[in-house]
């Protein structure tokens, strides 16, 4: 998926840009939306560009939507710390 920084969003065209990792771009969006908690309260991520939705953080991993690092866990889930339980959608 692409996003457009114009008043009328188009999926493709000279001003369209591919949605970055860690963000999703609903059809017709003007700007990318950062992955975070979904409507069920589960943490999400995306490790691919051009996504229309984010994926729920998988079991055995955790995703921190506030991670300031460039390769943040909204782009790649982190492995659950030893001795901890991390069900799907763990923050």
């Amino acid at each position: 998926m692409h996003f457009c920084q114009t008043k009328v969003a188009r999926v493709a065209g000279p001003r369209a840009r591919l949605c970055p990792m860690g963000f999703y771009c609903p059809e017709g969006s003007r700007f990318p939306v950062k992955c975070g908690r979904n409507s069920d309260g589960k943490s999400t991520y995306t490790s691919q560009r051009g996504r229309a939705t984010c994926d729920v953080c998988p079991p055995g991993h955790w995703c921190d939507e506030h991670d300031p690092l460039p390769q943040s866990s909204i782009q790649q889930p982190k492995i659950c710390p030893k001795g901890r339980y991390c069900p799907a959608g763990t923050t």
Side-chain angles (χ1 to χ4, degrees), residues 14 35 50 86:
C35 294
C86 297

Side-chain angles (χ1 to χ4, degrees), residues 14-53:
R15 300 199 64 165
R17 294 190 171 96
L18 191 62
C19 197
M21 289 189 306
F23 292 80
Y24 68 101
C25 296
E27 186 173 343
S29 58
R30 290 185 62 202
F31 300 100
V33 179
K34 186 177 178 181
C35 294
R37 291 187 182 266
N38 66 14
S39 60
D40 294 333
K42 294 183 179 183
S43 188
T44 64
Y45 79 103
T46 180
S47 59
Q48 299 174 353
R49 296 178 66 199
R51 296 293 305 269
T53 61

